[in-house]
Amino acid sequence: MTAQTETLFDNAAWPQAAPRLSVLIPFKGDDPLPLLAALALEPCAAEIVILDDGSDDPALAAEVEATTRLLPLPARFVRLARNEGRSKGRNRLVSHARGDAFLFLDSDMLPDDPRFLRRWLELVETSDPPVAFGGFSLKQVEPRPEQALHRAMAAHSDCLDAATRALHPEKHVFTSNLLVRRDVFDAEAFDEGFAGWGWEDVEWGMRVARRWPILHIENPATHLGLDNARTMAAKYEQSAANFARVVAAHPAVVAAYPSYRVAKALKRAPLRRLWRPILKQYALAEAAPLASRALAMRLYRAALYAEAV
């Protein structure tokens, strides 16, 4: 037991380990056990630090602790009594890491390559980049009707190859599969002023890109945690305040983003608060054509962001 805010459990391999890479996994609500099982198949010079960010799920916490005990890799399980949020939780994970490089992985990810960790370690050993993003895919997700909208939108804008991501390197920086060198993170941690969902990792990428190059490579992991349309809309609603924070901090960078330009255009549209809910309702209508639903959801997000530009 450390401070009352967190409880620690270390497996037998943890105390004597000298890892090169620290794999940092926060979770709240999502089940991290499939990811831990996949990582257990790759014994290498890495450690795992997993954070329960106030899930308030004793049964899941007990399963994570039991799995941690059995992992062949050195592992520490950090359990928080209350939720700290995406930025603060990841900063806390770093405080427990011992490697010279950190690999941030979301708990709903699953490596696409059986040499996933070893490929990251090879990159660290050969070129030791300040920051690198491996990309993500939908290869291992079973299609479900209620997730069709998220799947279509993610395939269009998120599941991009390294060459495409490299055109705007700071924009495609997500903590779903992100390598960061220790000295870089010591200089630029996540901004704990962000609350709720969205933009804290992209904003971090904007700050880091001013000082270091961001490398994009092909070492993807599958995003298992696709949402239904209603959950997507709720997350976009949460993210509007975070988008405003990014606009205030990085106006020149954000001005080049399509989401900003559309939001700026919609800001001039009259009666926005009357027609915005109609966009949402259409995006939620599962009987409507998928392409038009995706357009409606993107416009709904831009109409929310119009309040911030």
Side-chain angles (χ1 to χ4, degrees):
M1 181 77 75
T2 62
Q4 291 184 352
T5 56
E6 65 177 21
T7 305
L8 304 183
F9 173 79
D10 299 339
N11 71 2
W14 178 270
Q16 303 304 320
R20 186 74 173 92
L21 177 68
S22 296
V23 183
L24 307 180
I25 306 168
F27 73 93
K28 183 181 185 296
D30 292 315
D31 181 358
L33 296 176
L35 173 58
L36 293 177
L39 297 178
L41 300 176
E42 280 201 81
C44 57
E47 67 179 5
I48 295 173
V49 186
I50 185 164
L51 173 78
D52 179 351
D53 194 6
S55 291
D56 194 25
D57 186 339
L60 179 58
E63 287 189 85
V64 172
E65 182 175 323
T67 300
T68 301
R69 186 188 306 276
L70 298 174
L71 286 173
L73 293 171
R76 165 168 284 182
F77 175 34
V78 184
R79 187 179 180 194
L80 301 186
R82 60 184 60 86
N83 177 249
E84 290 190 333
R86 294 163 61 88
S87 291
K88 193 170 184 179
R90 288 181 173 87
N91 289 345
R92 182 182 287 271
L93 275 166
V94 167
S95 73
H96 292 279
R98 300 173 297 180
D100 294 325
F102 312 136
L103 177 62
F104 291 96
L105 274 178
D106 284 350
S107 59
D108 58 357
M109 303 297 286
L110 197 61
D112 287 345
D113 190 310
R115 299 187 69 256
F116 176 77
L117 287 182
R118 281 167 285 183
R119 291 182 69 187
W120 277 123
L121 277 164
E122 288 167 4
L123 181 68
V124 170
E125 294 293 342
T126 56
S127 57
D128 198 20
V131 180
F133 183 66
F136 67 90
S137 77
L138 302 172
K139 292 179 181 177
Q140 302 177 73
V141 183
E142 180 181 350
R144 298 180 181 176
E146 69 275 14
Q147 298 174 343
L149 180 63
H150 193 179
R151 187 183 188 94
M153 293 179 68
H156 178 264
S157 60
D158 297 330
C159 298
L160 306 175
D161 60 39
T164 302
R165 286 184 265 121
L167 297 175
H168 300 282
E170 84 295 332
K171 182 179 180 181
H172 301 287
V173 169
F174 309 115
T175 49
S176 54
N177 186 13
L178 178 67
L179 183 80
V180 185
R181 204 169 62 202
R182 177 179 287 276
D183 64 297
V184 175
F185 201 88
D186 285 345
E188 296 285 359
F190 290 110
D191 180 355
E192 296 182 2
F194 284 90
W197 182 87
W199 288 98
E200 76 287 339
D201 42 9
V202 177
E203 189 278 333
W204 178 87
M206 292 176 184
R207 278 187 283 125
V208 167
R210 295 170 176 171
R211 303 173 62 182
W212 294 278
I214 297 174
L215 177 67
H216 284 274
I217 69 166
E218 297 293 352
N219 193 20
T222 289
H223 180 207
L224 298 174
L226 295 180
D227 294 318
N228 61 42
R230 192 169 296 278
T231 300
M232 289 180 66
K235 287 183 174 180
Y236 291 151
E237 289 157 6
Q238 287 182 36
S239 74
N242 285 350
F243 182 72
R245 188 176 182 87
V246 176
V247 171
H250 308 277
V253 178
V254 180
Y257 291 1
S259 55
Y260 176 89
R261 295 197 295 268
V262 175
K264 197 76 171 176
L266 292 182
K267 189 176 183 68
R268 298 189 293 269
L271 305 175
R272 185 170 60 254
R273 295 192 181 184
L274 293 179
W275 51 257
R276 189 171 65 194
I278 299 173
L279 288 172
K280 177 180 178 180
Q281 290 306 311
Y282 188 85
L284 299 183
E286 293 189 4
L290 189 57
S292 59
R293 289 180 66 203
L295 176 60
M297 185 64 88
R298 286 193 290 269
L299 289 173
Y300 177 63
R301 179 180 58 192
L304 291 167
Y305 289 178
E307 307 297 334
V309 299

